[in-house]
Amino acid sequence: METTFIEDEFDAVVIGAGHAGCEAALALARTGMKTALTTINLDNIAFMPCNPSIGGTAKGHLVRELDALGGEMGINADKAMMQIKMLNRGKGAAVQSLRSQEDKRLYHSLMKQTLENTDGLYILQCEVTDILVENGEVTGVETSFGSILKCKAVVIATGVYLNSRIVAGEWEQNMGPSGFAPATKLTDSLIRLGFKVRRFKTGTPARIDRRSVDFSKLEIQNGETEIYPFSFMTDKIPEKQEPCYIAYTNETTHKIIRDNLDRSPLYNGSILSTGPRYCPSIETKVMRFADKERHQLFLEPEGYDTNEIYVQGMSTSLPHDVQKSMYRSIIGLERCRIMRYAYAIEYDCIDSLDLKPSLAFKAIPSIFTAGQINGTSGYEEAAAQGLMAGINASLYLRKKEPLVLKRDEAYVGVLIDDLVTKGTNEPYRMMTSRAEYRIFLRQDNADSRLTEKGRAAGLVKDDRYAKYLERQEKIAELNKKAAVKIPAAECGEFVKNYGFGEVTAPLSPIDMVKRNIPLKDICEKFGLFNDYPYDILERVETDAKYEGYLKKGREQIEKAQKLEEKALPNDIDYQKIKGLRLEAQEKLNAIRPENLGQASRISGVSPADVAVLMVYLASRKEKKDD
């Protein structure tokens, strides 16, 4: 279509208004950039096409971190919360993660209101079909209407909408999630610009009518009230919360699935793209874990104003008739009515190895990408990338150095480093096991780690910063009070009740915590610290309990930091460095790591290759000095 007019001029355009796009647009606008946020449909702003929840294992960490940096997801999740709980309560603090059920329509509505009322942010319903570039720099984007939005930077956050295809059994249709329209033109533009494009897939389970479920046959799951929220700006969580329920598949369910595998697109060749390993379909679970007699399912409400129930754990692309039999084979769901059938969705995404650690495209540094287009899965992973892409696009426009979080600083840093250094051949999901320094990267200390960085980038405003300083002051104050010794005569019998021997010297509450005595019990016994909130008490207790491990961890971080400090010039031709193995030469030339630390984490680069690079850098420095 022939271009008809210039729509407007902006500093930046964000393509896509999912969880990544919302965070990117807000970060840009809040740091003073005139920003356009485009979306095919205003109704899919911050839409939750899959589970109606925020957080989860490691994902809760991401939400707390992006909140500490000045992001919006945590604030919005707290406002739309129906239930919250801490996963992995029985394990160490490093792997405990917040997870909340959300009213998905309210979440969308609140985020849309926030976007609409943000100064410098303009929302436009349109499909972006082309990114315009001249002399290696972005000049604007073109829409399907033929209009042009002029700009100097672009953030691509298209989610699963690029050439998306929905599949359920023999039925298929080119469309986005939940019947939204797909984006059919932009992929061609990305290929012309030099992006390597590939095909991933994900899926979603059915939604069933609450009135057709026999909850008396299911296990109830209630939320928690003694718990901190996602956002450091939220004062409290709702006391009244909606319950969730647990159900189980059985041998009848599994037989229905096995008998119809020939009609499953995942097994009959209809779908060839790569799906998420850590969120498999029910067909995959039944076949991969054939020895399991049952699989756990979670029934989660989708909102206060709807009867739709999300059946987590039963994602499938089987035909509708098979789905109906399969769901009704489950105890408690014998008469369930399906309101929305399950489906699989295929979509285009890019190779994340084409990106810099700032999430800028290596070939055109004024293009940034975030979310599922980078090969990730999950709302939280998308939002975290969106925030960082937005911050770095703003810093780029302001001619400042990018904000790159290291692996010892944030889960967000681990996520992005994995993407740009190791790449991913399947939809990437954040897990606590991916973070080697996870004992430092707890949810409770996210503000201490990151708020100053968000402030320096211009995103943390005065109200948040004042709250952060107040919290740090309370933590320091409580640490000081908790170090005051209690005479042995007063605490001896109390400590002995926990299995310890005779107490002959005074002990402080911190000393007792180090003996694994809960701080809550100490406070009740000695009438201490009643004026401190739950989250401050937990933070001080956790720091005390893990003090020895934290000390050892810092030594490891300092050792690794030496490699991070050795920069690798961008003009190196690794094929000319003698001693590097062929695979290392190819990987290093393709990825162009920024330092030795990043080089050491590339798959195919061995410790011996790193040693060769160290010798090369030393000899290069000597030649330069001469």
Side-chain angles (χ1 to χ4, degrees):
M1 182 182 291
E2 186 179 345
T3 300
T4 55
F5 70 103
I6 304 296
E7 181 86 36
D8 203 344
E9 294 190 20
F10 301 93
D11 293 311
V13 171
V14 178
I15 306 172
H19 303 285
C22 289
E23 294 291 347
L26 287 169
L28 279 156
R30 287 170 172 172
T31 52
M33 300 295 109
K34 183 181 177 182
T35 304
L37 175 61
T38 68
T39 175
I40 291 176
N41 191 326
L42 295 185
D43 294 333
N44 65 17
I45 289 176
F47 181 65
M48 294 180 173
C50 200
N51 51 318
S53 69
I54 296 292
T57 304
K59 295 168 177 281
H61 291 73
L62 291 172
V63 181
R64 292 275 282 182
E65 288 181 351
L66 72 88
D67 180 76
L69 286 162
E72 192 67 25
M73 175 175 267
I75 293 173
N76 210 58
D78 289 342
K79 290 178 180 177
M81 184 185 297
M82 300 176 70
Q83 184 202 96
I84 188 168
K85 65 194 313 178
M86 188 74 76
L87 303 185
N88 297 327
R89 273 286 189 197
K91 298 181 181 180
V95 297
Q96 293 177 6
S97 301
L98 289 171
R99 186 180 190 275
S100 74
Q101 291 306 131
E102 299 289 318
D103 183 320
K104 65 191 297 180
R105 287 181 61 184
L106 181 58
Y107 188 95
H108 150 77
S109 178
L110 290 170
M111 187 65 84
K112 187 169 181 281
Q113 290 173 31
T114 299
L115 294 163
E116 288 176 349
N117 291 288
T118 297
D119 292 340
L121 179 54
Y122 304 83
I123 304 171
L124 180 63
Q125 179 170 296
C126 67
E127 180 186 353
V128 171
T129 57
D130 199 4
I131 298 172
L132 309 177
V133 175
E134 292 180 13
N135 301 318
E137 292 292 339
V138 168
T139 60
V141 302
E142 186 172 354
T143 76
S144 57
F145 302 127
S147 61
I148 288 178
L149 312 180
K150 297 186 74 174
C151 62
K152 303 167 195 168
V154 166
V155 178
I156 308 171
T158 45
V160 299
Y161 286 84
L162 291 183
N163 289 324
S164 51
R165 179 177 76 118
I166 297 284
V167 183
E170 297 83 11
W171 178 86
E172 65 174 78
Q173 191 163 336
N174 294 328
M175 65 167 61
S178 296
F180 286 114
T184 59
K185 304 291 185 183
L186 189 59
T187 294
D188 292 339
S189 176
L190 298 182
I191 293 171
R192 285 197 302 272
L193 293 172
F195 282 99
K196 292 189 284 292
V197 173
R198 54 214 178 143
R199 200 91 169 139
F200 276 0
K201 121 179 155 59
T202 188
T204 190
R207 275 66 161 177
I208 59 177
D209 191 329
R210 176 194 295 272
R211 298 167 298 175
S212 65
V213 177
D214 187 348
F215 291 104
S216 68
K217 296 179 180 180
L218 307 179
E219 298 175 20
I220 193 168
Q221 269 203 323
N222 291 309
E224 299 180 40
T225 54
E226 192 173 85
I227 191 172
Y228 51 74
F230 282 115
S231 177
F232 292 94
M233 300 297 286
T234 304
D235 293 324
K236 60 181 180 179
I237 54 127
E239 291 184 14
K240 185 180 181 300
Q241 299 182 22
E242 291 293 307
C244 297
Y245 294 86
I246 296 177
Y248 296 92
T249 63
N250 52 58
E251 182 49 41
T252 301
T253 316
H254 299 175
K255 185 177 188 306
I256 291 170
I257 292 168
R258 287 193 296 267
D259 288 348
N260 288 279
L261 279 180
D262 61 320
R263 299 182 66 196
S264 169
L266 298 179
Y267 286 85
N268 64 19
S270 298
I271 291 179
L272 299 175
S273 49
T274 307
R277 184 190 316 181
Y278 301 104
C279 189
S281 67
I282 190 65
E283 302 100 290
T284 301
K285 283 194 274 192
V286 168
M287 298 307 294
R288 186 182 296 170
F289 308 106
D291 58 320
K292 283 206 169 190
E293 295 180 358
R294 64 181 191 174
H295 293 281
Q296 195 174 52
L297 309 173
F298 297 88
L299 273 65
E300 302 170 344
E302 294 236 320
Y304 289 113
D305 63 349
T306 178
N307 286 325
E308 288 186 72
I309 297 286
Y310 178 90
V311 188
Q312 187 196 168
M314 212 158 180
S315 173
T316 183
S317 58
L318 283 163
H320 289 185
D321 59 310
V322 179
Q323 287 188 40
K324 188 171 183 178
S325 299
M326 181 177 71
Y327 279 93
R328 288 192 169 187
S329 70
I330 295 162
I331 294 174
L333 308 188
E334 295 92 344
R335 297 182 179 180
C336 75
R337 292 189 296 275
I338 294 177
M339 298 176 72
R340 301 181 198 240
Y341 279 93
Y343 59 81
I345 181 169
E346 290 186 303
Y347 56 95
D348 293 340
C349 59
I350 67 162
D351 184 346
S352 57
L353 293 178
D354 285 339
L355 305 176
K356 296 181 179 182
S358 63
L359 294 180
F361 183 34
K362 289 175 182 175
I364 306 169
S366 48
I367 296 178
F368 297 77
T369 62
Q372 287 184 266
I373 189 173
N374 288 344
T376 59
S377 68
Y379 311 146
E380 303 80 5
E381 289 90 339
Q385 293 171 72
L387 181 77
M388 297 308 297
I391 288 174
N392 283 324
S394 174
L395 291 170
Y396 172 86
L397 290 167
R398 288 182 276 158
K399 297 185 175 5
K400 293 185 177 183
E401 287 297 308
L403 173 59
V404 176
L405 298 173
K406 298 193 285 290
R407 297 182 70 91
D408 58 47
E409 292 178 326
Y411 270 81
V412 180
V414 174
L415 164 64
I416 294 174
D417 183 68
D418 279 352
L419 290 175
V420 304
T421 302
K422 302 174 183 178
T424 182
N425 293 318
E426 62 188 20
Y428 177 102
R429 178 179 178 177
M430 193 70 242
M431 296 180 291
T432 54
S433 59
R434 296 189 191 274
E436 59 269 45
Y437 305 115
R438 56 188 170 273
I439 197 169
F440 288 90
L441 309 182
R442 307 187 312 269
Q443 294 178 128
D444 61 286
N445 66 11
D447 60 335
S448 298
R449 292 185 279 116
L450 298 171
T451 300
E452 292 285 2
K453 294 181 182 295
R455 180 75 167 176
L459 194 55
V460 170
K461 303 306 180 185
D462 291 345
D463 57 341
R464 177 181 287 276
Y465 194 61
K467 200 157 189 172
Y468 158 74
L469 292 176
E470 181 185 358
R471 178 174 152 84
Q472 301 312 300
E473 187 177 328
K474 284 184 178 178
I475 292 169
E477 183 181 88
L478 181 55
N479 269 313
K480 188 175 180 180
K481 290 181 178 179
V484 175
K485 302 287 184 179
I486 299 172
E490 295 181 30
C491 67
E493 195 63 31
F494 171 74
V495 173
K496 283 172 68 176
N497 289 337
Y498 286 86
F500 294 97
E502 197 71 31
V503 175
T504 58
L507 293 175
S508 69
I510 293 291
D511 295 329
M512 292 183 232
V513 166
K514 289 179 180 178
R515 297 187 182 202
N516 216 27
I517 300 174
L519 183 56
K520 183 179 180 181
D521 294 359
I522 299 168
C523 292
E524 289 177 359
K525 170 65 178 175
F526 300 103
L528 299 171
F529 317 139
N530 294 324
D531 53 343
Y532 286 91
Y534 164 83
D535 61 323
I536 301 294
L537 291 166
E538 184 177 89
R539 167 68 185 277
V540 169
E541 179 179 26
T542 304
D543 281 341
K545 192 181 294 185
Y546 291 101
E547 183 182 6
Y549 297 102
L550 291 168
K551 184 178 179 182
K552 290 180 181 177
R554 285 190 193 95
E555 294 171 0
Q556 294 176 335
I557 290 172
E558 288 169 5
K559 187 176 179 180
Q561 190 62 35
K562 292 178 181 177
L563 288 179
E564 301 291 331
E565 291 170 355
K566 294 186 182 297
L568 289 168
N570 197 45
D571 62 352
I572 296 177
D573 184 351
Y574 292 97
Q575 289 183 320
K576 293 182 179 179
I577 299 179
K578 294 180 179 179
L580 282 180
R581 294 172 308 109
L582 181 60
E583 182 183 9
Q585 290 176 347
E586 292 175 350
K587 291 286 182 69
L588 289 164
N589 265 335
I591 297 172
R592 314 300 304 176
E594 298 195 349
N595 54 60
L596 275 180
Q598 186 184 0
S600 70
R601 295 188 293 274
I602 296 173
S603 174
V605 176
S606 69
D609 295 318
V610 174
V612 170
L613 288 175
M614 293 179 75
V615 172
Y616 169 80
L617 287 176
S619 63
R620 180 176 169 126
K621 185 177 183 301
E622 287 176 6
K623 290 178 182 177
K624 189 175 181 181
D625 291 341
D626 292 342

